[in-house]
Amino acid sequence: MASTAPDLDRQIAHMDDELLPVPRHKLHRWPHFAGLYAAEHVAATEFVIGATFVALGAGIWDILLGLLIGNGLAVLSFWLITTPIAIETRLSLFTYLHRIAGDSMSRLYNWANVVIFTAISAAMITVSATAVRLLFDIPAQTQAYPTSFEFILLALAVAAIVVLVAVYGFNALTEFASICAPWLMLMFTVGGMVLLPELAESVTGETSLNSFSSFIDVAGSTVFTGINSQGEAGIGIWEVIGFSWAANTFSHFGLIDMALLRYAKRMRSGLATSTGMMFGHYVAWISAGLMGAATAAVAGISIDVLEPGEVALHALGAAGFVIVVVAGWTTANANLYRAGLAAQSAMPNLSRNKATLAVGICVAVLSCFPFVYRSMLPLLTYAGLVLVPVGGIIFAEHHLFPKLGFSRYWARYKGVKHNTPALATWALSLIFGFGLEMVDVIPFYYLFLPTWFVSIILYTLMARSAGAAASYPKAEAAEREFQERVEALHAKQAETTNHAPVKDTSGLTKAIKAVWMVLGLAVPMVLALRVLFGSPDLASYEANRELFYDVTIWSTIIYFIFAYWELQRSKALFNKQSPKQAATAS
């Protein structure tokens, strides 16, 4: 075997980095993932989902406790299911699935991801268009289909910008998105705070809230009432728990986020997903519900047809326009980029740019239809149901097969081009899951759980009969040698890597940071607290709210200018390293 090492080294050196495990010198600690998940999971669709809980008639305690439990279960799922496999393999799901299931399964899975991420991208673009339409006095789109030719043109124009950025300028947008998380988290929080006195006045005749029980009374009477938009009893705590857990099943049970968590140094990074789950999917959903209910009451329309742009503008003034556009664009670009990668994997003859452009055309057409973003709750749940069986297949082969004495990578060792047990398991699991929904045995939010367990059992049984229980000593030895040579290559690369953290301690950078933290974030928070607690009557509330509107838009401009300035200074300092170090570290 030793004589083959030079040839193997040359083969590894020419392989795409995506096909190799992440090297140790590129791993990150948990704070990196805390920021990453905060940025990704505070999105424009939180306005839609928060309003959906109101329309479905969730009660106040169902929301407060249900979202806490459901999102807590989501964090545990990331920590206990996704993170261990990601850390042990250091591979993305796409690469690991190809090693396990081969070309046919991977191609089908990639097409499923194209469809799902295309729909999510289109929803984000439509959400952004609902804000931009207010600038051009385009009528609100209350139907499932577009009712205004001007809105179609607007949606297509917004989509064109998103698609072009995803195709040619994704790195620049990623840098911009990295500084959005603190501001988005703040805006979603203060939006609900600013409108609470308005809701309180409609219930108690007073604009002040003196205690937590006052908040419960107001929110329970006006927002999360337990009565749905048809005047009937709404969903309960079990439905709230189920949806908040199921909203990201394709990421944790479905293992999509192996792509992110493969860079984690330790298991604790899985718990860092709590910044996205507990803030983006707890605080933001509750706050969005408050904002939506207050806006619907003022506008005199049903919350079912209320647009995110209208909600954000009423809650945050001109800054609301910014939050909807920024959150929509950044999230749409990230998902369109994912869809483009999946399409490129399914059609390897196309470049990533061409594949993304092709998917982008479909996204643009779909973004003209408002029903897409209004269907985010079932879309996320069904997306999880479609992809979860694949996670079950990976879980079984990674964790159970070694314990049962089966061979991991058996299909590849055996030389099988099509992993029939994997394909059959996916098909049968989908029939099982959607069959459960047809007979209405359990709420559809929970369908992913039995479907996941069934996929594990089916795949284990069918793979055993197909050859997983056999031994493949030569192939296993070759795999061990391959992994050893990869580790040797990474160790050699690590020797030329600058491990010292790059930190700018200059006075100018500290001043820049102080400006965006104080003027960009602290000032809006102080003004929002003044609106919430310093408005003894309706007149003072309106005056305080107007001041908040006027100042917050300038704080927003200051925040993005100075935060982006600091980011560019950090990049410039990093680039002062030697070219070899910079190339390796990046």
Side-chain angles (χ1 to χ4, degrees):
M1 297 294 289
S3 60
T4 66
D7 293 335
L8 188 56
D9 287 343
R10 282 191 291 271
Q11 175 191 342
I12 294 171
H14 286 89
M15 290 181 68
D16 191 313
D17 285 345
E18 278 294 313
L19 302 178
L20 298 174
V22 174
R24 291 182 180 274
H25 61 273
K26 290 187 178 182
L27 302 182
H28 298 283
R29 295 176 58 252
W30 69 266
H32 170 83
F33 298 94
L36 196 64
Y37 276 88
E40 183 174 356
H41 292 278
V42 183
T45 47
E46 316 313 347
F47 286 107
V48 181
I49 296 173
T52 300
F53 279 121
V54 178
L56 290 175
I60 181 61
W61 286 111
D62 297 330
I63 283 291
L64 293 178
L65 296 179
L67 289 183
L68 184 65
I69 296 170
N71 284 303
L73 290 171
V75 172
L76 291 177
S77 300
F78 276 114
W79 181 41
L80 299 176
I81 296 176
T82 315
T83 309
I85 300 178
I87 287 179
E88 289 167 21
T89 64
R90 299 294 181 195
L91 297 171
S92 70
L93 174 63
F94 302 102
T95 302
Y96 200 36
L97 178 63
H98 189 269
R99 290 190 180 187
I100 286 174
D103 292 335
S104 299
M105 181 75 173
S106 297
R107 191 172 292 110
L108 284 174
Y109 183 77
N110 286 329
W111 279 118
N113 277 277
V114 170
V115 173
I116 290 169
F117 289 124
T118 294
I120 295 175
S121 299
M124 297 295 172
I125 292 170
T126 312
V127 167
S128 293
T130 66
V132 180
R133 75 155 185 89
L134 297 171
L135 297 178
F136 300 98
D137 199 26
I138 297 174
Q141 303 299 292
T142 59
Q143 302 297 323
Y145 51 87
T147 56
S148 166
F149 181 70
E150 290 83 0
F151 181 80
I152 294 175
L153 293 178
L154 175 62
L156 291 176
V158 174
I161 296 172
V162 171
V163 171
L164 289 175
V165 170
V167 171
Y168 298 109
F170 184 76
N171 289 338
L173 185 90
T174 302
E175 292 175 358
F176 176 72
S178 69
I179 66 176
C180 291
W183 181 80
L184 287 171
M185 293 167 70
L186 174 75
M187 289 296 109
F188 269 102
T189 302
V190 299
M193 293 166 58
V194 166
L195 295 188
L196 265 175
E198 187 174 59
L199 290 170
E201 199 275 336
S202 67
V203 176
T204 65
E206 299 179 357
T207 54
S208 58
L209 282 82
N210 301 318
S211 63
F212 180 71
S213 61
S214 299
F215 165 76
I216 295 296
D217 291 340
V218 170
S221 301
T222 61
V223 185
F224 302 109
T225 62
I227 304 298
N228 65 23
S229 55
Q230 284 75 44
E232 302 173 351
I235 61 174
I237 189 170
W238 290 109
E239 287 84 0
V240 175
I241 292 172
F243 172 69
S244 53
W245 191 10
N248 283 278
T249 42
F250 58 87
S251 295
H252 45 73
F253 272 78
L255 300 179
I256 282 286
D257 274 11
M258 281 177 62
L260 301 178
L261 292 167
R262 60 182 166 155
Y263 289 93
K265 277 189 175 181
R266 296 181 179 85
M267 273 286 294
R268 71 184 68 167
S269 294
L271 294 173
T273 58
S274 57
T275 57
M277 301 303 103
M278 290 303 185
F279 191 93
H281 295 178
Y282 186 77
V283 174
W285 283 352
I286 294 172
S287 184
L290 296 173
M291 289 187 275
T295 306
V298 170
I301 61 175
S302 171
I303 198 170
D304 288 335
V305 297
L306 195 64
E307 294 182 343
E310 295 174 297
V311 175
L313 285 170
H314 181 62
L316 299 164
F321 171 82
V322 180
I323 190 175
V324 175
V325 172
V326 167
W329 280 2
T330 54
T331 310
N333 271 280
N335 284 288
L336 179 55
Y337 183 74
R338 288 170 175 165
L341 286 176
Q344 195 268 334
S345 297
M347 300 179 290
N349 292 330
L350 285 181
S351 67
R352 201 276 302 173
N353 285 355
K354 290 181 179 179
T356 303
L357 184 60
V359 172
I361 293 172
C362 299
V363 168
V365 173
L366 197 58
S367 67
C368 297
F369 294 85
F371 81 89
V372 179
Y373 85 82
R374 291 201 180 101
S375 305
M376 280 303 293
L377 190 150
L379 172 62
L380 293 173
T381 303
Y382 288 128
L385 183 59
V386 169
L387 300 183
V388 153
V390 177
I393 292 168
I394 299 295
F395 185 91
E397 184 138 347
H398 184 84
H399 285 299
L400 296 186
F401 281 23
K403 291 180 174 62
L404 295 172
F406 294 1
S407 296
R408 193 185 292 171
Y409 305 137
W410 66 272
R412 187 155 63 95
Y413 293 164
K414 192 177 178 181
V416 175
K417 292 184 177 180
H418 310 291
N419 189 329
T420 302
L423 289 165
T425 295
W426 196 10
L428 292 173
S429 297
L430 292 180
I431 293 171
F432 172 80
F434 285 101
L436 283 181
E437 187 195 12
M438 291 179 65
V439 298
D440 198 22
V441 175
I442 60 174
F444 78 93
Y445 308 111
Y446 291 100
L447 291 175
F448 73 93
L449 271 176
T451 303
W452 186 70
F453 282 111
V454 164
S455 68
I456 292 174
I457 295 169
L458 286 176
Y459 183 65
T460 302
L461 294 176
M462 287 191 283
R464 181 180 183 277
S465 301
S471 178
Y472 306 91
K474 289 184 178 180
E476 290 170 356
E479 176 66 21
R480 284 193 297 272
E481 184 183 12
F482 175 81
Q483 296 298 336
E484 289 170 0
R485 302 311 301 174
V486 169
E487 290 182 10
L489 173 65
H490 287 166
K492 186 176 180 180
Q493 291 175 343
E495 293 175 0
T496 61
T497 300
N498 181 13
H499 295 280
V502 179
K503 189 173 182 179
D504 188 352
T505 58
S506 66
L508 178 58
T509 297
K510 290 180 179 178
I512 292 171
K513 181 178 289 189
V515 169
W516 67 253
M517 291 182 68
V518 175
L519 298 182
L521 299 179
V523 168
M525 175 57 77
V526 170
L527 291 176
L529 290 170
R530 183 185 181 190
V531 174
L532 181 59
F533 297 113
S535 303
D537 52 54
L538 193 58
S540 61
Y541 165 68
E542 292 176 348
N544 288 337
R545 188 178 65 180
E546 286 302 317
L547 179 63
F548 170 82
Y549 289 163
D550 294 340
V551 174
T552 299
I553 183 59
W554 290 107
S555 293
T556 294
I557 294 171
I558 291 170
Y559 172 81
F560 281 107
I561 290 174
F562 281 81
Y564 192 69
W565 187 6
E566 184 192 0
L567 175 66
Q568 293 305 307
R569 285 180 60 82
S570 296
K571 283 180 59 183
L573 181 62
F574 176 80
N575 290 333
K576 287 181 180 179
Q577 302 173 96
S578 68
K580 189 173 184 180
Q581 288 176 328
T584 308
S586 63

